[in-house]
């Protein structure tokens, strides 16, 4: 069915009524709304059919966007559709689209092709799209895809978004390569918001650059088909990466976006706080995050061969405050952090944590995290003995003024090291531990010195020695003689004046040997305190 109209469309287009309405609305910059009275019939992903009265051809849409008629005087041309079905494949590949584009609650019969296309701003809100192909897409302003349902993946490889990319409440399923969203090399000028997103496949953002923050609050990433649910090595986020919970507000649009682009307020999982949940591996290796990486209330459900990989990331703050499952592991090898904010229960158990080369300056535990649990945390990361995690923990405690706890960590390091020694080394280690705690408790060595001095004084009182030269040495004093034997280097003038014989010779030798051991232990402990090592 056609209507004549001042020869605006090219001859031969044979526009339908719905298309005529779209053509006129385009010239007026008005919204072409084809929704019906029954709300359930307006769901683009629903089962109800949309007939010709709600359908426009994709090639007519492309004609309007790429070479459309001029606007009515005093108006700005724009394509605004609501509740419209687009038949055929919308192909704008390589084109430059000047008009403003906003499609709400639209149903696309076939994939949308936008590779190397140039937009000012593009908004597809609540639409059903078989697939969105937009490699090397460029926008001067925003790209909004909130609440869309995409059955065969989104491709944004090397796309450049001038301001914000909005993917809130998107439901996207994998393509033929197992990718839900392919956004390798993408750059976003400001924020990338993908809150309450449902991704079924691999979300790939290798080498992506985000100008402000990246938010995946309340999203669910699930990839039962592959190894990773989020694959984003070498990503740069100028501010913060949020893999946290999202809270619904009683306000109409809690996220601060102008309707209808914000988050709808109906909870999808029966609660007003939706946690970020990842079912599959996460790879953030070599990432740079200007403010923080936040895992508050995140839930990770991994298989045994999957991991949360944070190798060599750099960020001022890592908030490891999520919930860990029974399998998988966390890898922090080579990561450089200033503040580590964590909870004891957030970390995996033995064999589930790797921290070789992990560098942090400050520990900020939220909730109880006693030193015994912290040592278990280090032990979980070192199934085989490695000194570096213990030394790093001791350094962080010492820098925060907790010298006693730092010494306990270094003592635990020596005890772990002892288990790697041969039998003789273990025996000597146990003796050092039992007597002087490897020198990390110098007070214990002083106590042993006092005990030995008292015992030696009693012995020499009962068994006085004969002088080497009669009437030439000092008067016999068992207390000073015992002290002279126990204190190396210091000469009290007693040791060379008396001749031990028999059992006394063995007693003298033992006292000299034990004195050297204990005195050097005390000296080493005092040196550590002075040097704060």
């Amino acid at each position: 069915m056609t209507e004549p109209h001042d020869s605006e469309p090219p001859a031969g287009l044979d526009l339908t009524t719905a298309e005529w309405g779209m053509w006129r609305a385009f010239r007026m910059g008005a919204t072409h709304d084809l929704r019906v009275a029954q709300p359930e019939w307006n769901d683009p992903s629903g089962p109800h059919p949309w007939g010709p009265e709600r359908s426009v051809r994709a090639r007519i849409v492309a004609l309007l966007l790429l070479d459309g008629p001029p606007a009515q005087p005093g108006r700005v041309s724009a394509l605004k559709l609501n509740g419209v079905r687009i038949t055929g494949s919308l192909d704008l590949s390589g084109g430059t689209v000047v008009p403003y584009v906003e499609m709400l609650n639209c149903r696309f019969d076939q994939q949308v092709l936008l590779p190397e296309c140039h937009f000012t701003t593009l908004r597809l809100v609540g639409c059903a799209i078989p697939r969105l192909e937009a490699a090397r897409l460029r926008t001067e302003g925003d790209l909004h895809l909130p609440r869309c349902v995409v059955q065969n993946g989104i491709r944004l490889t090397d796309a450049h978004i001038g301001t914000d990319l909005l993917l809130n409440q998107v439901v996207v399923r994998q393509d033929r390569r197992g990718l839900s969203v392919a956004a390798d090399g993408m750059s976003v000028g400001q924020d990338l918001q993908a809150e309450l997103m449902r991704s079924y496949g691999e979300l790939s953002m290798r080498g992506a650059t985000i100008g402000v923050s990246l938010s995946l609050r309340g999203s669910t990433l699930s990839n039962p088909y592959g190894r990773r649910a989020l694959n984003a090595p070498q990503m740069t986020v100028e501010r913060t990466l949020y893999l946290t919970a999202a809270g619904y507000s009683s306000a109409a649009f809690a996220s601060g976006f102008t309707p209808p682009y914000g988050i709808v307020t109906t909870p999808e999982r029966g609660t007003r706080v939706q946690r970020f949940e990842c079912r599959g591996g996460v790879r953030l290796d070599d990432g740079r995050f200007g403010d923080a990486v936040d895992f508050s209330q995140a839930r990770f459900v991994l298989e045994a061969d999957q991991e949360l990989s944070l190798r060599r990331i750099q960020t001022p703050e890592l908030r490891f405050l999520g919930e860990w499952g029974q399998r998988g592991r966390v890898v922090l090898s080579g990561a450089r952090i200033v503040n580590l904010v964590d909870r004891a229960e957030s970390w995996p158990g033995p064999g589930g944590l790797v921290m070789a080369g992990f560098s942090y300056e400050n520990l900020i535990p939220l909730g109880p995290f006693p030193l015994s649990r912290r040592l278990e945390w280090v032990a979980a990361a070192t199934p085989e003995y490695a000194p570096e995690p213990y030394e790093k923990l001791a350094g962080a405690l010492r820098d925060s003024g907790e010298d006693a706890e730092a010494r306990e960590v270094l003592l635990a390091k020596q005890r772990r090291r002892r288990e790697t020694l041969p039998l003789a080394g273990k025996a000597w280690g146990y003796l050092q531990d039992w007597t002087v705690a490897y020198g990390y408790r110098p007070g214990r060595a002083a106590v042993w010195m006092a005990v030995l001095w008292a015992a030696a004084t009693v012995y020499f009182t009962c068994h006085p020695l004969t002088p080497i030269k009669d009437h030439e040495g000092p008067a016999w004093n068992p207390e000073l003689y015992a002290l002279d034997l126990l204190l190396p280097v210091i000469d009290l003038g007693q040791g060379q004046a008396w001749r031990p014989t028999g059992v006394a010779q063995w007693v003298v030798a033992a006292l000299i040997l034990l004195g050297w051991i204990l005195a050097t232990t005390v000296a080493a402990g005092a040196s550590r305190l002075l040097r704060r090592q």
Side-chain angles (χ1 to χ4, degrees):
M1 181 176 181
T2 63
E3 296 181 5
H5 192 281
D6 296 339
S7 66
E8 287 181 351
L13 281 184
D14 194 23
L15 298 184
T16 65
T17 302
E19 292 168 347
W20 265 113
M22 178 178 66
W23 193 278
R24 290 193 295 266
F26 175 84
R27 296 193 63 199
M28 295 289 293
T31 299
H32 187 46
D33 192 340
L34 295 182
R35 290 176 297 173
V36 297
Q38 300 87 350
E40 63 274 11
W41 284 74
N42 292 321
D43 181 3
S45 301
H48 301 287
W50 292 9
E53 72 282 357
R54 300 184 64 176
S55 302
V56 299
R57 288 168 289 175
R59 70 186 187 96
I60 305 301
V61 175
L63 177 62
L64 287 173
L65 294 178
L66 297 177
D67 191 21
Q72 292 279 10
R75 296 283 187 168
V76 177
S77 58
L79 182 66
K80 299 179 182 180
L81 305 179
N82 197 341
V84 177
R85 173 191 173 199
I86 292 90
T87 62
S89 177
L90 179 58
D91 189 351
L92 303 175
S93 302
T96 297
V97 178
V98 175
Y100 174 84
V101 181
E102 176 182 284
M103 299 186 185
L104 313 179
N105 309 306
C106 292
R107 176 183 291 180
F108 291 84
D109 283 359
Q110 298 181 29
Q111 63 181 340
V112 177
L113 301 175
L114 307 176
E116 303 191 37
C117 196
H118 191 172
F119 283 85
T120 50
T121 290
L122 173 61
R123 292 190 171 108
L124 305 177
V125 180
C127 297
I129 308 172
R131 175 171 172 79
L132 177 59
E133 178 68 46
R136 297 173 297 282
L137 170 76
R138 295 183 63 87
T139 69
E140 300 298 324
D142 298 342
L143 172 60
H144 287 185
L145 301 169
R147 303 196 295 278
C148 287
V149 177
V150 186
Q151 292 296 333
N152 296 296
I154 298 172
R155 187 182 182 197
L156 291 168
T157 306
D158 296 317
H160 176 82
I161 310 303
T163 51
D164 295 329
L165 172 57
L166 186 61
L167 299 172
N168 290 344
Q169 294 180 287
V170 162
V171 177
V172 56
R173 303 185 184 279
Q174 66 169 353
D175 62 13
R176 290 176 296 179
R177 297 185 299 157
L179 302 177
S180 59
V181 179
D184 298 345
M186 178 182 65
S187 65
V188 178
Q190 296 184 18
D191 290 312
L192 194 168
Q193 291 206 4
E195 300 181 0
L196 299 166
M197 177 186 192
R198 302 290 176 266
S199 168
Y200 301 96
E202 181 180 299
L203 172 55
S204 181
M205 298 179 63
R206 295 180 296 177
T209 301
I210 312 300
V212 184
S213 294
L214 168 57
S215 176
L216 286 161
R217 292 183 178 98
S219 293
T220 297
L221 309 183
S222 178
N223 187 13
Y225 323 103
R227 185 177 180 183
R228 298 185 181 95
L230 174 59
N231 187 21
Q234 299 179 323
M235 180 168 62
T236 299
V237 179
E238 294 297 330
R239 297 291 297 275
T240 301
L241 169 62
Y242 295 99
L243 303 181
T244 63
Y248 287 98
S249 169
S250 59
F253 294 94
S255 290
F257 286 92
T258 302
Y261 314 121
I263 294 176
V264 297
T265 58
T266 303
E268 294 188 9
R269 286 182 276 175
T271 175
R272 287 197 171 274
V273 177
Q274 308 292 338
R275 302 176 66 170
F276 172 83
E277 184 171 298
C278 186
R279 295 183 174 273
V282 177
R283 184 186 179 202
L284 298 173
D285 299 349
D286 301 294
R288 301 293 182 267
F289 307 92
D291 283 352
V293 176
D294 194 347
F295 293 126
S296 300
Q297 295 184 276
R299 179 185 289 119
F300 295 94
V301 182
L302 277 64
E303 298 299 327
D305 61 341
Q306 295 175 337
E307 60 188 26
L308 169 57
S309 180
L310 304 173
R311 292 175 173 88
R312 299 174 299 280
I313 70 165
Q314 295 184 25
T315 181
E317 186 163 289
L318 172 62
R319 302 168 193 157
F320 203 88
L321 303 168
E323 176 184 311
W324 194 258
Q326 300 296 320
R327 293 170 292 188
R329 64 178 188 167
V330 178
V331 183
L332 286 161
S333 302
R336 297 178 61 185
I337 309 297
V338 178
N339 298 323
L340 177 58
V341 185
D342 62 350
R343 289 193 182 94
E345 58 271 18
S346 294
W347 294 101
L353 180 59
V354 180
M355 295 195 303
F358 177 37
S359 172
Y360 54 91
E361 297 181 16
N362 304 307
L363 290 171
I364 308 175
L366 295 186
F369 208 144
L371 183 60
S372 59
R373 293 290 300 274
R374 189 65 78 178
L375 290 173
E376 291 175 2
W377 174 68
V378 174
T382 53
E384 296 182 357
Y385 167 71
E388 184 182 15
Y390 289 94
E391 293 167 358
K392 182 57 64 178
L393 174 58
L397 292 171
R398 188 167 50 247
D399 290 342
S400 63
E402 300 175 9
D403 290 333
E405 291 194 347
R407 290 195 296 273
E408 288 296 321
V409 172
L410 294 175
L411 176 58
K413 181 189 79 167
Q414 293 294 340
R415 288 170 175 167
R416 282 289 304 276
R417 175 179 175 272
R418 182 176 64 205
E419 302 305 315
T420 67
L421 300 176
L423 184 59
K426 286 183 181 180
W428 175 242
Y430 278 112
L431 178 62
Q432 283 187 296
D433 193 359
W434 183 64
T435 54
V436 294
Y438 287 96
Y440 291 106
R441 295 175 184 169
R444 184 184 293 184
V447 171
W448 277 108
M449 289 279 285
V451 170
L452 289 173
W453 176 62
T457 297
V458 171
Y459 176 82
F460 289 121
T461 299
C462 298
H463 304 85
L465 302 182
T466 58
I468 294 177
K469 295 181 179 180
D470 294 335
H471 310 296
E472 292 187 10
W476 172 246
N477 187 321
E479 293 88 352
L480 285 177
Y481 183 73
L483 191 60
D484 200 3
L485 294 175
L486 284 169
L487 294 177
V489 181
I490 300 175
D491 186 3
L492 300 180
Q494 296 286 328
Q496 303 300 322
W498 309 97
R499 180 184 294 113
T501 59
V503 175
Q505 287 181 304
W506 292 100
V507 173
V508 168
L511 288 173
I512 293 173
L513 180 62
L514 291 172
W516 272 101
I517 293 174
L518 294 174
T520 53
T521 299
V522 172
S527 175
R528 290 190 185 97
L529 289 175
L530 292 174
R531 292 184 298 162
R532 295 180 64 83
Q533 291 184 351

